[in-house]
């Protein structure tokens, strides 16, 4: 993450009440009063028009807006004619800034927290601030809005009933493959972030580690050149490997593992007989139940039948 230009490094300064207005379709509106506390505000991931009216009101009425990069957030603020002071809050200064933020919250001020794009706390340091603000008894609320994770999930055409957000995989191949092995058994759709230069290699490693699952690559979401490519992991890895690295922010959505057929009665008996030959009934049942996914009471009942038959 780039280090933002410190527009207002001294967060102990008083609030700027010079303007509480914002522009909508060329009309200047006055923001209503805002409750003291920390207001976590989702901002557009591409198209500026995706911001909510409530978000605009909050940004205009806040005493300060905490943001990753003041230059990025300034584009949004300028577009809607909002003059609220911008204050950097990012990975490089979060430990130093949090006590100042908490002091202002304790003083009854109204602070908005945004990320460069989308919903704060998803792959950014905001969760520590929310955690500490809650622990300090400050009022914390969230203004829902754009999310690259949910947008990609909706567009992928893959199961949405259960999903697991992984964020970025490790940059180095060994660490990436180890992490892929850890998430391989997650019983749901996987959602990951990736960069253009690494995406082809990441897709190849995902195909090796997860099998040839259906997947989608979404980039430049909500923007003019939005693109969603669908196929299997192997197909996408092959296609991306032949092309120049794609530009823009990338979200990978990968289908869940295929459901395995339940083991047959003969398979269960074979596993139990092997386990009973070297372990107690209790330990054998636990081992077979874990390996097959069957309920312990079912495995236990079958183990008792086998031990009686062999007596």
């Amino acid at each position: 993450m780039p280090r933002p230009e410190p527009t207002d490094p001294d967060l102990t300064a008083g609030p700027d009440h010079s303007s509480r207005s914002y522009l909508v379709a060329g009309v200047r509106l006055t923001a209503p009063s805002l409750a003291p506390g920390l207001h976590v505000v989702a901002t557009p991931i591409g198209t500026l028009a995706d911001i909510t009216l409530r978000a605009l009101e909050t940004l205009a009425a806040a005493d300060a807006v905490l943001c990753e990069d003041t230059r990025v957030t300034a584009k949004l603020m300028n577009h809607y004619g909002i003059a609220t002071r911008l204050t950097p809050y990012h990975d490089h200064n979060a430990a130093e800034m949090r006590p100042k933020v908490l002091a202002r919250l304790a003083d009854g001020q109204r602070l908005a927290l945004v990320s460069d794009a989308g919903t704060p706390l998803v792959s950014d340091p905001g969760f520590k601030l929310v955690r500490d603000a809650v622990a300090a008894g400050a009022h914390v609320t969230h203004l829902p809005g754009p999310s690259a994770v949910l947008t990609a999930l909706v567009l992928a055409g893959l199961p949405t009933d259960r999903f697991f957000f992984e964020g970025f995989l490790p940059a180095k191949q060994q660490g990436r493959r180890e992490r892929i092995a850890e998430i391989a058994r997650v019983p749901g759709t996987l959602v990951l972030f990736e960069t253009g230069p690494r995406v082809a290699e990441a897709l190849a490693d995902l195909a090796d580690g997860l099998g040839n699952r259906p997947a989608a690559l979404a980039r430049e979401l909500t923007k003019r050149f939005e693109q969603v490519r669908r196929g299997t992991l192997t197909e996408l890895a092959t296609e991306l490997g032949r092309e120049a690295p794609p530009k823009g922010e990338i979200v990978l959505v990968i289908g869940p593992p295929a459901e395995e057929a339940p083991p047959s009665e003969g398979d269960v008996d074979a596993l139990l007989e092997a386990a009973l030959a070297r372990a107690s009934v209790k330990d054998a049942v636990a081992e077979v139940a874990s390996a097959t996914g069957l309920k312990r009471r079912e495995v236990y009942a079958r183990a008792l039948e086998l031990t009686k038959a062999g007596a």
Side-chain angles (χ1 to χ4, degrees):
M1 180 187 301
R3 183 185 296 273
E5 295 176 350
T7 305
D8 177 25
D10 185 7
L11 197 57
T12 60
D16 179 7
H17 296 286
S18 60
S19 175
R20 298 293 189 190
S21 65
Y22 58 100
L23 288 170
V24 176
V27 178
R28 184 160 290 280
L29 303 174
T30 300
S33 60
L34 189 66
L38 181 65
H39 301 258
V40 183
V41 182
T43 56
I45 58 177
T47 301
L48 293 181
D50 286 341
I51 197 164
T52 67
L53 292 176
R54 185 177 168 218
L56 292 176
E57 292 174 351
T58 299
L59 295 176
D63 297 320
V65 175
L66 312 177
C67 53
E68 288 183 86
D69 190 329
T70 58
R71 295 164 296 188
V72 172
T73 304
K75 296 178 182 178
L76 174 68
M77 304 288 276
N78 292 338
H79 183 80
Y80 288 103
I82 300 174
T84 306
R85 177 184 291 115
L86 300 181
T87 299
Y89 182 84
H90 49 81
D91 280 329
H92 303 291
N93 73 350
E96 176 187 354
M97 294 298 291
R98 266 196 306 277
K100 297 180 181 181
V101 175
L102 295 173
R104 286 189 72 171
L105 291 173
D107 194 39
Q109 293 194 21
R110 303 154 180 80
L111 303 178
L113 173 69
V114 302
S115 61
D116 282 351
T119 300
L121 277 68
V122 180
S123 290
D124 76 37
F127 86 92
K128 295 180 181 178
L129 177 58
V130 169
R131 176 197 62 194
D132 291 355
V134 170
H139 172 67
V140 178
T141 188
H142 174 233
L143 284 66
S147 166
V149 173
L150 295 180
T151 301
L153 186 64
V154 168
L155 294 177
L158 295 169
T160 58
D161 53 339
R162 287 191 294 180
F163 67 92
F164 179 82
F165 174 62
E166 171 64 16
F168 285 95
L169 291 170
K172 295 185 178 180
Q173 188 175 63
Q174 181 176 347
R176 184 167 60 235
R177 289 181 172 179
E178 290 174 353
R179 182 56 187 160
I180 290 171
E182 292 173 357
I183 62 176
R185 294 179 62 85
V186 172
T189 297
L190 302 175
V191 184
L192 304 90
F193 289 160
E194 195 48 85
T195 65
R198 292 203 308 256
V199 69
E201 292 182 0
L203 283 166
D205 287 339
L206 285 163
D208 287 341
L210 303 180
N212 202 23
R213 299 189 195 180
L217 182 153
R219 55 180 290 271
E220 296 292 82
L221 290 170
T222 79
K223 299 178 183 179
R224 180 182 178 186
F225 298 106
E226 176 181 281
Q227 180 187 49
V228 181
R229 300 172 67 165
R230 303 172 182 87
T232 66
L233 285 171
T234 300
E235 289 170 346
L236 291 174
T238 301
E239 291 174 8
L240 270 294
R242 295 170 178 168
E243 303 171 5
K247 297 180 180 180
E249 298 178 351
I250 296 170
V251 185
L252 297 176
V253 184
I254 303 166
E259 293 186 8
E260 297 180 2
S264 67
E265 186 175 297
D267 292 336
V268 174
D269 286 352
L271 290 171
L272 273 173
E273 289 171 354
L276 288 168
R278 51 183 166 72
S280 65
V281 172
K282 178 181 178 181
D283 291 341
V285 167
E287 178 182 323
V288 174
S290 176
T292 61
L294 296 174
K295 295 180 179 179
R296 285 198 179 200
R297 64 173 179 272
E298 297 176 0
V299 179
Y300 182 72
R302 185 57 186 159
L304 290 181
E305 292 178 8
L306 291 175
T307 53
K308 289 179 181 178

